Amino acid sequence: MNREFLREVIYYEDYYLDFFNAQREDVKKKFNWTFQLISTQDRIPEKFLKHITGSDGIFEVRVEVGSDIFRVFSFFDKGNLVVLVNGFQKKTQKTPKAAIKLAEKLKKEYLETKYNKQQ
């Protein structure tokens, strides 16, 4: 895997960290591997990062460990900065609308906070 970083992956507040810290060690390792892939690869397969149709620029980072499926919502800031927000373990075929709405709300907060700091 190419080790040159093309994107920076950060998290907003502690939403992602709280989710991450609650996971088993094998899940944490898979998330870290996936974020390294996102950081270093020019083209990221949809298997790992997919746009949520009908959302306001929200993407889901997709991780599978055994039969467990996990998702972390994210968005891009300035094209090469991936901002992580909320995560969950997927137990049904459909992604919960409330989780998508929360991700959109957190994106808006992040951008408003960033904009206000720049003024």
Side-chain angles (χ1 to χ4, degrees), residues 12-13 15 75 85 102-116:
Y12 174 60
E13 299 292 333
Y15 299 100
F75 57 90
V85 285
L102 175 59
E104 291 176 328
K105 176 181 171 260
L106 295 173
K107 176 184 176 185
K108 184 178 178 193
E109 278 179 22
Y110 167 86
L111 294 172
E112 286 174 353
T113 302
K114 181 180 174 184
Y115 177 76
N116 288 337

Side-chain angles (χ1 to χ4, degrees), residues 2-40:
N2 180 2
R3 299 286 183 212
E4 186 176 321
F5 290 95
L6 303 173
R7 285 173 211 87
E8 182 179 4
V9 178
I10 66 167
Y11 53 88
Y12 174 60
E13 299 292 333
D14 287 336
Y15 299 100
Y16 168 72
L17 276 184
D18 291 343
F19 168 76
F20 179 82
N21 288 330
Q23 303 310 313
R24 302 182 318 257
E25 200 58 39
D26 57 343
V27 175
K28 290 178 182 181
K29 285 180 182 178
K30 185 73 178 262
F31 267 111
N32 289 337
W33 180 89
T34 304
F35 293 133
Q36 182 170 356
L37 178 89
I38 291 169
S39 297
T40 59

Side-chain angles (χ1 to χ4, degrees), residues 90-108:
K90 194 166 182 181
K91 297 184 185 222
T92 64
Q93 198 64 19
K94 284 194 149 265
T95 300
K97 290 198 183 307
I100 297 169
K101 292 292 178 204
L102 175 59
E104 291 176 328
K105 176 181 171 260
L106 295 173
K107 176 184 176 185
K108 184 178 178 193

